[in-house]
């Protein structure tokens, strides 16, 4: 598809004299001064299944954008002051250094860092830093079922739902295909924004009516009934529960290890350079 589109584009271009003004190099589709756009650079820019007309438009746009960038760059080199060009050259060089060193350090860290974090480490880190982990919104533990009002086993479902017996919860799981939506795990903390999505009758302005620790109720709408049991609520700006931020704690510990590893590696490479007379400071 790309090859055909490019061939057609070349025919159109030759006829209109838009792109080729002098003898074309093999496998090129456009030229700006002494720079050429090779056909290989167009590979992959047209999604599979694109029509011929759209393919040509995509390729034309790519070529025009390539030409504009080259022309603007050439114009900038001519019109920007020498001081400004020197400033940008310095920035480009520093960016290149930063890019290479960051990529190298990332590879070193990837191969060396220990990503196993024990429960003892997590607990210790949490206890030492828990005041820094405050909730940014309310967290809730609850379970709910949404089912049709005329469900033939409505009362049995409700009784099992409100029960704390494991057999009743298992029975509900076995018949879960009959429910329009549900969540039975009320031991996991959930962000309040997820509750608004799952239980759309609850809004920020009526939240206190429906979300309180130990509250159980059923809410009917036009066709369905929601049965809800709230286990616990943790308000905003409270210390986040360990189990809720455990993944974050693990990532923070690993990130700290990475930083320590980078510092150690930088020191070792500097010390080694001094030792081998590759680095010295003149005084």
């Amino acid at each position: 598809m790309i090859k055909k589109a490019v061939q057609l584009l070349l025919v159109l271009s030759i006829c209109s004299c838009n792109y080729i003004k002098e003898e074309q190099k093999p496998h090129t589709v456009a030229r700006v001064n002494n720079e050429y756009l090779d056909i290989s650079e167009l590979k992959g820019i047209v999604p599979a299944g694109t029509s011929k007309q759209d393919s040509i438009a995509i390729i034309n746009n790519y070529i025009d954008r390539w030409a504009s960038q080259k022309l603007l760059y050439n114009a900038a080199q001519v019109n920007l002051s020498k001081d400004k060009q020197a400033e940008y050259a310095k920035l480009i060089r520093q960016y290149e250094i930063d890019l290479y060193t960051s990529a190298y350090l990332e590879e070193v860290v990837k191969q060396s860092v220990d990503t196993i974090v024990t429960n003892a480490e997590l607990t210790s880190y949490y206890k030492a830093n828990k005041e820094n982990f405050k909730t940014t919104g309310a967290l809730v533990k609850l379970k709910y079922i949404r089912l049709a009002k005329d469900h033939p086993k409505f009362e049995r479902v409700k009784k099992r739902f409100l029960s704390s017996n494991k057999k009743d919860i298992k029975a509900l799981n076995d018949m879960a295909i009959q429910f329009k939506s549900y969540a039975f795990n009320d031991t996991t903390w959930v962000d309040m924004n997820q509750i608004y999505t799952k239980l759309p009758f609850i809004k920020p302005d009526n939240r206190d009516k429906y979300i309180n620790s130990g509250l159980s109720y059923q809410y009917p709408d036009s066709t369905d009934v929601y049965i809800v049991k709230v286990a616990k609520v943790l308000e905003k700006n409270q210390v986040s529960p360990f189990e809720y931020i455990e993944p974050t704690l693990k990532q923070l510990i690993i990130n700290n290890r990475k930083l320590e590893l980078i510092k150690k590696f930088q020191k070792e490479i500097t010390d080694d350079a001094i030792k081998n007379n590759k680095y010295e400071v003149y005084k």
Side-chain angles (χ1 to χ4, degrees), residues 77-137:
Q77 287 183 310
V78 171
N79 292 286
L80 288 177
S81 68
K82 296 297 181 183
D83 289 344
K84 184 62 73 173
Q85 290 189 48
E87 178 186 343
Y88 288 146
K90 184 178 179 181
L91 289 172
I92 291 168
R93 178 55 182 158
Q94 186 58 54
Y95 176 73
E96 181 182 21
I97 292 171
D98 292 342
L99 193 63
Y100 272 84
T101 54
S102 295
Y104 178 50
L105 286 171
E106 185 177 336
E107 286 301 314
V108 170
V109 167
K110 188 187 298 184
Q111 295 173 21
S112 306
V113 70
D114 181 7
T115 57
I116 297 175
V117 182
T118 65
N119 288 332
E121 288 175 302
L122 287 168
T123 303
S124 177
Y125 189 84
Y126 175 71
K127 288 181 178 178
N129 299 279
K130 63 182 180 180
E131 290 300 323
N132 297 325
F133 301 112
K134 296 294 182 70
T135 55
T136 56

Side-chain angles (χ1 to χ4, degrees), residues 140-143 184-190 231 243-244:
V140 185
K141 286 182 177 181
L142 63 70
K143 60 181 181 178
F184 297 142
N185 186 2
D186 60 355
T187 62
T188 300
W189 290 104
V190 178
E243 60 269 30
Y244 183 73

